[in-house]
């Protein structure tokens, strides 16, 4: 395997290097001489139609890489050939081309373009395009939409902003990974649905990082060390035309993150700081002490049992008048958040730079001292030689964080279950109160409270892009990328966290986990563009050589003599090795894209890629993927002239293609053995199957884009169908084989279809006031099309053919039994037992609709931006089992009334069994749709004249809010986590800050 990859890599590099050497040297010398004789300095001022100067206008020399940007006074200066052409472009204005014609002073006036659809540049990965010209489905968010959001990971900032992109947080602790789904679930394996992350051209492993702390459910987000304020834009590629050039890596969509670059001009320094706090915006209404005790007493009456200290400690030993709001105590705190950003940028026509640094601190709402700290640094350098042929771009982002959390401790569950008259959890000395809880035969609900988890990590992402223009239209470039993540986690568990009655056989303990991820990538590319009359051809061909190494080491230390020594393994009495893992993944590919454009109205793209992955056996390692995309701007046709005067732009586009998926574990195709503890022992832990191969995702899309009233209103509608087949799953084996499963391909097919609607409008566009609105709406559908042998597989009770993957199989609820007063469900087969054969109700846990609507308003120096996020879905509720020694929902008090919808209070086993059965029926399923004010940003730009008197170039004050209002019929904690009625993720956050430009 290694020989094949090495041979392919060196052959490609030698061929491309030879082309570069023989073609570039003569052209380099000739062009250098020619340009040096014809350059002259051109300067001027750029204004709008009202005569106001326009800062930030891009000024370039046509057909070169040379450019500059106007300063705050609209001024520019650039070297250009005497017979050259200057191109002035800025979003919101029409692009203007002015011949130099030996003039040294050129002042221009830009004409406003209400949509500037053709000027919105889009990063498509290996090439760039515009909103007007794109044939693929690509969604984009810009820096101004996300840079002020107080989030740790940039993925969290995308919620509600993109059609077809669903992001669900897995908790509220800083550093936890969110679940991102681009156009649904394609694979039966959870890890098989991860998208591809690309930062400045370098792929990043998108799998959450393992943790032993309270982040063990979600894992650690691999993008935590990336500063959100340092991001220029995020593009998400969705359909075949957009993703096929990434081959197997783009099967579940691609997330392209581009960081900010330097700008031509004098050095500018910007400092920005904000601070604020987060709180839990909601509570579940639970029984108070009087109501709770009423239900408890009725339960014993119904059961005909006398309450005693043994069976009713809450009615006998505990204070009958005590009340504790456990929700307030456990997560009623305020989580402070502070963020400081500093960057400097500048440069000349040949070299630009940007240096950035940031510090982010965030607490938690939970009882206890937990906090997250992150420091980042970034550098971006661009250099172009004077002849505009050779260009270098270096991008480096580095982040360090420290996350202090609880270790092995549930900080949420007890808040909803503890009786309201329970004794204090702490004594007067601040230690855990064991005595009062032990008297009732219970453990302190905060057992483990003094456990501490500390996660320290550092992450490097770097990329060097070298490009050389060999001839006009022909360019060679190579990208060199390197990423390195290193994380160390330690969980300290002192004896005082646990009940003294059980400490005889206990000792101070620690758990250690070290994770490393390293990856390098080299991508040589050759691009060519030519214009032949009305035909434009753009082509790119290249290769990918990538290697990733992952390692993990887990250890446990026991027997520390004192709490202060916990974590120092040399002081541990015993060291237990939990696991040690090292894997090596190699991925090579060749790819090509050909884009044809005719007369600025017909577009055709062909993309092909041949992938090789080390995760498959020698005979199945290589696969071919490709796509075709087409677009027709029909409003450019003659027959459309004045046909529909209100229609200013119209485009039909479509695509079809295939991508693959190799997101499985490494080395799964051969037999594996594991060492036994002690000398000389091995035992098999994996069966080989060298014949399994790639999952295949076939993507089909059709779309229309329309512009109305001179593009003041833009509408896009996309229909898609993705079919993922040849599913990679664990095929179940008989127990006699000694193995539970073997990795294999099954002919199961998963289908995702949907309709995406995107609408944007310029509602008002006057001189002093501008109001823009954008809406995205997604109607997703997912189903298992086929799965031969499903009933004989281990997934028989998980999936149903014809139904979505994200389902729960439930009993039919049959109401309250009039004789027993208990919940009852239907025994479908009448065998007197309740099992999976009786679960004929299918509950789709996925959303049927989701989206967002955002508004941006600007009036003179004031700005207001806000986003409403919405989802239509169902969720589940619990805590309606009256009579048990746990708190319940407030409306369970109705169980004391006649004809109650709740079962009669009881402490019996039959009542508990009836409640457990009804939890997996349709009874607790409820509407969990919501409309949420996700973000709100209000800003004021301090007048420039005032700032200049203080020696500053500019300043801005701002206030931001997140999750300020949620409208929902759902009675759980958070409709964004509807599958767990007591879980929550959306904290209400308010921050305020200032930005200063020097």
């Amino acid at each position: 395997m290694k020989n094949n990859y090495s041979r392919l890599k060196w052959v490609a590099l030698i061929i491309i290097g030879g082309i570069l050497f023989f073609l570039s040297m003569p052209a380099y010398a000739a062009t250098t001489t020619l340009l040096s004789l014809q350059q002259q300095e051109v300067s001027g001022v750029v204004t709008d139609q009202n005569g106001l100067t326009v800062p930030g206008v891009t000024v370039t020399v046509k057909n070169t890489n040379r450019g500059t940007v106007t300063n705050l006074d609209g001024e520019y200066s650039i070297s250009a050939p005497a017979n050259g052409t200057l191109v002035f472009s800025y979003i919101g204005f029409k692009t203007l081309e002015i011949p130099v014609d030996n003039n040294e002073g050129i002042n221009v006036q830009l004409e406003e373009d209400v949509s500037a659809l053709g000027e919105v540049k889009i990063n498509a990965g290996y090439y760039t395009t515009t909103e007007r010209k794109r044939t693929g489905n690509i969604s984009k968010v810009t820096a101004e939409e996300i840079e002020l959001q107080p989030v740790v990971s940039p993925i969290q900032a995308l919620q509600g902003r993109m059609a077809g992109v669903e992001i669900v947080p897995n908790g509220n602790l800083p550093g936890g990974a969110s679940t991102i789904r681009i156009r649904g679930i394609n694979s039966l394996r959870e890890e098989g649905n991860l998208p591809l992350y690309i930062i400045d051209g370098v792929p990043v492993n998108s799998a959450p990082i393992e943790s032993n702390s309270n982040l063990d459910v979600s894992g650690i987000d691999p993008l935590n060390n990336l500063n959100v304020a340092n991001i220029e834009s995020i593009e998400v590629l969705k359909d075949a035309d957009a993703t096929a050039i990434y081959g197997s890596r783009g099967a579940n969509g691609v997330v392209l993150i581009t960081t900010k670059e330097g700008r031509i001009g004098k050095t500018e320094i910007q400092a920005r700081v904000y601070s604020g706090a987060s709180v839990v915006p909601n509570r579940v209404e639970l029984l108070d002490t009087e109501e709770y005790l009423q239900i408890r007493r009725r339960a014993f009456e119904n059961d005909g049992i006398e309450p005693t200290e043994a069976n009713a400690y809450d009615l006998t030993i505990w204070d009958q008048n005590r009340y504790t709001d456990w929700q307030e105590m456990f997560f009623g705190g305020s989580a402070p958040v502070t963020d400081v950003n500093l960057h400097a940028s500048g440069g000349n026509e040949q070299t630009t730079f940007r240096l950035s640094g940031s510090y982010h601190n965030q607490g938690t709402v939970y009882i206890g001292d937990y906090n997250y700290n992150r420091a980042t640094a970034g550098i971006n350098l661009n250099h172009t030689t004077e002849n505009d042929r050779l260009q270098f771009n270096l991008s480096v982002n580095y982040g360090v964080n420290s996350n202090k959390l609880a270790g092995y401790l549930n900080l949420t569950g007890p808040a909803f279950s503890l009786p309201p008259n329970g004794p204090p959890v702490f004594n007067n000395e601040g230690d855990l109160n064991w005595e009062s809880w032990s008297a009732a035969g219970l453990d302190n609900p905060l057992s483990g409270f003094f456990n501490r988890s500390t996660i320290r990590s550092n992450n490097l992402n770097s990329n060097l892009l070298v490009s050389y223009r060999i001839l006009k239209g022909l360019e060679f470039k190579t990208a060199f990328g390197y990423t390195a993540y290193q994380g160390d986690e330690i969980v300290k568990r002192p004896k005082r966290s646990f009940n003294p009655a059980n400490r005889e056989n206990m000792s101070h303990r620690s758990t250690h986990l070290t994770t490393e991820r390293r990856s390098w990538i080299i991508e040589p590319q050759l691009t060519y563009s030519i214009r032949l009359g009305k035909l434009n051809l753009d082509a790119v061909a290249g290769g990918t050589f990538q290697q990733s190494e992952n390692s993990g080491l887990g250890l446990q230390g026991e027997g520390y003599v004192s709490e202060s020594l916990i974590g120092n393994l040399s002081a541990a009495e015993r060291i237990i090795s939990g696991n040690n893992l090292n894997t090596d993944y190699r991925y090579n590919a060749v790819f090509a894209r050909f884009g044809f454009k005719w007369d600025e109205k017909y577009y055709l793209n062909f993309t092909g890629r041949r992938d090789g992955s080390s995760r498959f056996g020698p005979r199945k390692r290589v696969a071919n993927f490709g796509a075709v995309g087409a677009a027709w701007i029909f409003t450019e046709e003659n027959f459309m002239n004045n046909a529909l005067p209100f229609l200013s732009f119209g485009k039909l586009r479509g695509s079809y293609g295939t991508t693959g998926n190799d997101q499985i574990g490494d080395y799964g195709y051969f037999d594996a053995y594991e060492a036994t503890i002690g000398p000389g022992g091995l035992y098999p832990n994996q069966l080989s199957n060298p014949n399994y191969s790639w999952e295949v995702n076939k993507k089909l899309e059709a779309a229309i884009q329309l512009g109305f009233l001179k593009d003041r209103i833009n509408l896009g509608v996309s229909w898609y169908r993705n079919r993922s087949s040849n599913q990679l799953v664990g095929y179940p084996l008989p127990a006699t084989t000694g193995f539970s499963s073997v990795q294999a391909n099954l002919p199961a097919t998963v289908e995702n279809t949907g309709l995406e609607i995107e609408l944007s409008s310029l509602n008002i566009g006057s001189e002093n006031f501008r109001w823009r609105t954008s809406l995205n709406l997604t109607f997703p559908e997912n189903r298992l099309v086929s799965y031969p042998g499903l009933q004989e597989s281990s997934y028989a009770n998980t999936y149903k053919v014809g139904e979505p993957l994200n389902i729960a199989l439930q009993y039919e609820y049959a109401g309250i039994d009039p004789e027993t007063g208990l919940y009852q469900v239907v025994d479908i087969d009448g065998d007197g037992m309740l099992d999976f054969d009786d679960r004929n109700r299918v509950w789709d846990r996925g959303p049927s609709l989701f989206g967002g609507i955002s508004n941006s308003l600007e009036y003179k120096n004031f700005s207001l931006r806000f986003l409403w996020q919405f989802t239509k879905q169902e969720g589940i509720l619990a805590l309606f089992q009256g009579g048990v020694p746990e708190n319940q929902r407030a409306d369970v008090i109705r169980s004391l009334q006649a004809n109650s919808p709740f079962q009669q209070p009881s402490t019996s086993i039959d009542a508990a069994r009836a409640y457990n059965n009804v939890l997996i029926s349709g009874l607790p399923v409820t509407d969990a749709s919501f409309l949420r004010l996700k973000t709100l940003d209000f800003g004021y730009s301090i007048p420039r004249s005032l700032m200049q008197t203080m020696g500053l170039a500019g300043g801005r004050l701002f206030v931001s809010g997140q999750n300020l209002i949620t409208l929902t019929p759902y009675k759980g904690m958070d409709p964004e986590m509807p599958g767990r009625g007591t879980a929550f993720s959306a904290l209400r956050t308010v921050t305020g800050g200032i930005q200063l430009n020097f």
Side-chain angles (χ1 to χ4, degrees):
M1 177 185 71
K2 292 183 179 180
N3 289 337
N4 291 337
Y5 284 125
S6 298
R7 188 178 300 115
L8 177 60
K9 176 175 65 177
W10 287 112
V11 167
L13 290 176
I14 290 171
I15 292 174
I16 296 173
I19 294 173
L20 174 63
F21 179 79
F22 287 109
L23 293 181
S24 65
M25 298 311 295
Y28 178 86
T31 307
T32 300
T33 303
L34 180 62
L35 290 178
S36 63
L37 293 175
Q38 296 180 338
Q39 299 299 308
Q40 69 180 52
E41 196 72 17
V42 182
S43 60
V45 178
V46 180
T47 59
D48 61 15
Q49 291 170 296
N50 298 311
L52 300 175
T53 58
V54 184
V57 176
T58 301
V59 185
T60 59
V61 179
K62 190 174 182 180
N63 298 324
T64 74
N65 293 324
R66 178 171 299 171
T68 185
V69 178
T70 58
N71 61 19
L72 294 174
D73 297 317
E75 301 169 338
Y76 74 93
S77 178
I78 190 171
S79 294
N83 61 349
T85 301
L86 297 184
V87 181
F88 298 83
S89 61
Y90 189 66
I91 294 177
F93 295 88
K94 294 181 179 179
T95 297
L96 184 64
E97 296 187 4
I98 302 292
V100 175
D101 197 20
N102 291 313
N103 291 324
E104 295 182 355
I106 299 178
N107 298 326
V108 299
Q109 185 180 78
L110 296 182
E111 181 182 351
E112 184 179 7
D113 187 343
V114 294
S115 71
L117 190 67
E119 306 307 321
V120 179
K121 291 186 178 181
I122 295 177
N123 179 12
Y126 293 99
Y127 64 100
T128 59
T129 183
T130 65
E131 181 66 24
R132 177 186 179 88
K133 299 175 182 178
R134 68 178 173 93
T135 56
N137 195 313
I138 305 175
S139 295
K140 176 180 181 178
V141 297
T142 58
E144 65 179 9
E145 299 176 79
I146 64 175
E147 61 185 357
L148 294 181
Q149 293 192 42
V151 295
V152 174
S153 170
I155 295 301
Q156 297 169 338
L158 301 182
Q159 282 186 283
R161 297 186 181 275
M162 293 181 171
V165 181
E166 182 187 10
I167 297 169
V168 180
N170 288 313
N172 55 78
L173 292 173
S178 301
T179 297
I180 175 172
R181 295 283 180 262
I182 300 174
R183 291 188 166 179
I185 304 173
N186 295 309
S187 177
L188 299 179
R189 296 165 294 106
E190 181 67 25
E191 69 276 12
N193 293 293
L194 299 172
L196 173 66
Y197 292 160
I198 301 284
I199 302 176
D200 290 335
V202 181
V204 175
N205 190 339
S206 56
I209 300 162
E210 182 184 356
S211 172
N212 285 327
S213 70
N214 279 26
L215 297 177
D216 60 340
V217 175
S218 65
I220 302 170
D221 196 310
L223 299 181
N224 282 344
N225 294 51
L226 186 62
N227 180 15
V228 176
N230 200 34
I231 295 175
E232 179 66 28
S233 66
I234 301 179
E235 279 96 347
V236 174
L237 316 185
K238 294 180 282 188
D239 73 326
D241 179 66
T243 61
I245 198 166
Y246 285 99
S248 61
R249 299 180 299 171
N252 300 309
V254 183
V255 179
L256 300 174
I257 300 176
T258 305
T259 59
K260 295 178 179 178
E261 297 183 352
R263 300 173 62 175
I264 297 175
K266 65 179 182 179
T267 300
E268 296 181 355
I269 299 175
Q270 182 185 95
R272 181 170 61 210
V273 59
Y274 67 75
S275 184
S278 303
V279 296
V280 178
N282 188 34
R283 300 285 190 275
V284 173
E285 188 178 358
L286 301 176
L287 298 168
D288 61 28
T289 300
E290 182 181 354
E291 294 169 332
Y292 169 80
L293 294 178
Q294 282 182 351
I295 292 179
R296 283 284 285 158
R297 294 187 184 105
R298 176 68 65 85
F300 282 97
E301 292 176 10
N302 291 341
D303 296 341
I305 300 175
E306 185 69 24
T308 66
E309 292 186 4
N311 62 19
Y313 44 82
D314 50 350
L315 295 177
T316 55
I317 10 181
W318 288 357
D319 187 347
Q320 304 296 285
N321 297 312
R322 178 179 174 81
Y323 172 76
T324 300
D325 185 343
W326 296 111
Q327 295 179 76
E328 181 64 26
M329 195 200 83
F330 274 79
F331 50 77
S334 176
V337 56
T338 300
D339 190 274
V340 180
N341 267 280
L342 182 68
H343 81 256
S345 67
N348 55 32
E349 297 170 9
Q350 274 69 53
T351 304
T352 61
F353 70 92
R354 188 178 193 274
L355 304 175
S356 63
S358 74
Y359 172 74
H360 183 90
N361 173 270
Q362 188 171 338
T364 74
V365 296
Y366 294 103
I367 179 175
D369 184 18
Y370 313 117
N371 63 81
Y372 174 89
N373 292 276
R374 180 187 66 195
T376 69
I379 181 172
N380 187 284
L381 294 175
N382 280 284
H383 176 73
T384 304
T385 57
E386 290 188 3
N387 63 356
D388 291 322
R389 280 186 172 272
L390 185 61
Q391 185 173 9
F392 300 89
N393 176 267
L394 174 66
S395 173
V396 179
N397 291 281
Y398 183 73
V400 178
N401 70 37
S402 174
N403 200 355
K404 296 182 179 180
L405 297 167
Y408 304 109
L409 176 63
N410 183 356
L411 285 170
T412 304
F416 303 97
S417 61
L418 291 177
N421 68 330
V425 293
F426 296 102
N427 58 28
N428 294 332
E429 288 74 34
D431 296 323
L432 291 175
N433 178 10
W434 302 105
E435 183 178 355
S436 299
W437 293 89
S438 297
L442 302 174
D443 209 358
N444 190 300
L446 280 181
S447 176
F449 177 76
F450 297 106
N451 296 349
R452 285 296 180 271
S453 167
T454 302
I455 306 170
R456 291 187 174 90
S457 66
N458 56 78
N459 198 349
L460 171 69
N461 184 279
S462 59
N463 181 51
L464 173 63
L465 178 65
V466 182
S467 61
Y468 185 81
R469 183 162 53 87
I470 303 171
L471 298 170
K472 182 179 179 180
L474 180 63
E475 185 176 30
F476 171 76
K477 56 185 177 181
T478 302
F480 305 88
Y482 179 74
T483 65
Y485 172 90
Q486 182 176 16
D488 293 291
E489 179 178 348
I490 177 173
V491 179
K492 299 180 180 180
R493 292 184 284 174
K495 288 195 294 185
R496 66 188 176 112
S497 274
F498 305 98
N499 196 331
N502 302 325
R503 289 182 186 171
E504 275 190 28
N505 299 320
M506 291 182 63
S507 65
H508 298 301
R509 291 172 289 171
S510 66
T511 302
H512 303 254
L513 180 62
T514 300
T515 304
E516 290 191 15
R517 293 180 174 182
R518 301 181 186 275
S519 175
W520 61 260
I521 185 171
I522 300 175
E523 291 193 305
Q525 302 167 46
L526 200 61
T527 64
Y528 181 67
S529 62
I530 188 173
R531 182 180 182 91
L532 302 172
K534 293 184 177 182
L535 175 66
N536 278 66
L537 168 65
D538 294 295
V540 57
T544 299
F545 310 98
Q546 181 182 354
Q547 180 175 351
S548 301
E549 297 177 356
N550 298 323
S551 63
L553 175 64
L555 298 171
Q556 296 181 39
E558 295 183 352
Y560 297 99
V561 295
S562 71
E563 185 173 333
S564 62
L565 293 174
I566 299 178
N568 183 357
L569 289 174
S570 62
E573 182 181 346
R574 295 174 302 279
I575 298 177
I576 303 172
S577 177
N579 61 76
N580 189 1
L581 176 68
N582 291 278
T583 62
D584 185 3
Y585 168 61
R586 299 194 177 193
Y587 171 89
N588 290 345
V590 291
F591 59 87
R593 171 191 171 269
F594 297 93
F596 300 91
K597 178 178 63 176
W598 177 267
D599 200 20
E600 300 293 332
K601 54 186 175 183
Y602 305 109
Y603 298 85
L604 187 62
N605 281 343
F606 294 97
T607 305
R609 190 173 182 111
R610 182 171 176 83
D611 285 1
S613 171
S614 64
R615 288 175 175 160
F616 302 107
R619 292 175 295 176
K620 300 291 184 178
R621 222 160 250 163
V622 178
N624 299 317
F625 307 102
V628 58
W632 172 36
I633 302 179
F634 57 84
T635 46
E636 294 294 324
E637 298 290 353
N638 293 330
F639 64 79
M640 290 296 297
N641 290 339
N642 301 319
L644 299 172
F646 57 86
L647 184 65
S648 51
F649 177 77
K651 179 173 72 172
L652 295 174
R653 61 176 179 82
S655 66
Y656 178 77
T658 61
T659 58
N661 193 337
D662 69 341
Q663 292 181 2
I664 56 173
D666 295 298
Y667 315 124
Y669 58 87
F670 54 56
D671 291 324
Y673 297 84
E674 190 167 332
T676 60
I677 299 176
L682 289 175
Y683 66 92
N685 66 355
Q686 176 181 282
L687 281 179
S688 68
N689 179 11
N691 295 317
Y692 69 78
S693 185
W694 309 74
E695 285 185 1
V696 177
N697 194 342
K698 298 179 180 179
K699 300 183 177 184
L700 175 66
E701 172 161 322
I704 185 172
Q705 291 178 251
L706 301 173
F708 302 94
L709 305 177
K710 296 184 179 180
D711 291 350
R712 295 180 69 95
I713 301 174
N714 293 283
L715 172 67
V717 180
S718 305
W719 172 87
Y720 66 87
R721 188 194 71 189
N722 298 343
R723 284 196 167 187
S724 182
S725 58
N726 213 30
Q727 293 281 331
L728 281 165
V729 296
Y731 187 79
L733 297 175
T736 54
T737 64
F739 298 90
S740 59
S741 66
V742 62
Q743 191 74 54
N745 290 108
L746 292 182
T749 300
V750 177
E751 180 182 83
N752 284 284
T753 59
L755 189 68
E756 297 174 358
I757 300 174
E758 297 171 298
L759 177 67
S760 64
S761 64
L762 176 62
N763 307 317
I764 299 175
S766 65
E767 178 181 347
N768 292 325
F769 183 56
R770 183 178 293 266
W771 174 21
R772 292 182 179 271
T773 299
S774 62
L775 166 73
N776 70 85
L777 189 61
T778 304
F779 298 88
E781 291 186 12
N782 171 270
R783 69 188 182 103
L784 181 62
V785 176
S786 66
Y787 193 152
L790 174 61
Q791 293 306 313
E792 291 73 39
S793 75
S794 58
Y795 297 105
N797 299 323
T798 305
Y799 304 122
K800 292 286 186 183
V801 173
E803 300 289 351
L805 296 184
N806 189 20
I807 61 171
L809 301 179
Q810 300 177 322
Y811 299 120
E812 289 287 346
Y813 177 57
I816 302 292
D817 189 325
E819 296 183 2
T820 63
L822 304 181
Y823 298 119
Q824 57 182 353
V825 297
V826 179
D827 180 8
I828 297 294
D829 55 16
D831 62 356
M833 298 176 57
L834 292 174
D835 51 30
F836 274 100
D837 292 335
D838 301 305
R839 298 191 190 182
N840 68 338
R841 184 181 189 275
V842 178
W843 173 41
D844 181 4
R845 295 180 289 186
S848 58
L849 176 156
F850 64 88
I853 179 170
S854 63
N855 284 270
S856 174
L857 297 92
E858 298 176 0
Y859 176 71
K860 294 186 177 179
N861 290 4
F862 297 92
S863 67
L864 177 66
R865 295 185 178 91
F866 57 92
L867 167 69
W868 287 92
Q869 176 195 2
F870 53 84
T871 300
K872 182 174 176 55
Q873 61 186 359
E874 291 183 326
I876 192 168
L877 295 176
L879 304 177
F880 49 87
Q881 180 193 11
V884 296
E886 295 181 359
N887 209 350
Q888 304 293 309
R889 309 185 67 82
D891 49 1
V892 177
I893 192 67
R894 296 166 58 191
S895 64
L896 303 180
Q897 305 170 0
N899 300 320
S900 168
F902 302 100
Q903 73 177 11
Q904 285 296 302
S906 174
T907 63
S908 68
I909 295 177
D910 289 341
R913 184 182 297 114
Y915 177 70
N916 290 332
N917 287 336
V918 85
L919 278 180
I920 47 180
S921 75
L923 177 63
V925 177
T926 183
D927 188 0
S929 304
F930 67 91
L931 174 65
R932 171 170 289 162
L933 182 55
K934 189 63 184 177
T935 63
L936 184 147
D937 301 314
F938 175 77
Y940 172 70
S941 297
I942 305 172
R944 188 183 307 169
S945 58
L946 177 60
M947 299 305 297
Q948 288 176 345
T949 61
M950 296 184 290
L952 299 174
R956 182 176 176 81
L957 301 173
F958 57 88
V959 177
S960 299
Q962 268 202 328
N963 308 313
L964 299 180
I965 301 172
T966 300
L967 305 176
T968 178
Y970 185 61
K971 295 182 179 180
M973 280 295 293
D974 186 356
E976 203 165 34
M977 303 183 74
R980 294 168 280 175
T982 58
F984 58 92
S985 64
L987 300 181
R988 179 179 293 149
T989 305
V990 177
T991 60
I994 185 171
Q995 173 182 306
L996 298 175
N997 297 331
F998 300 88

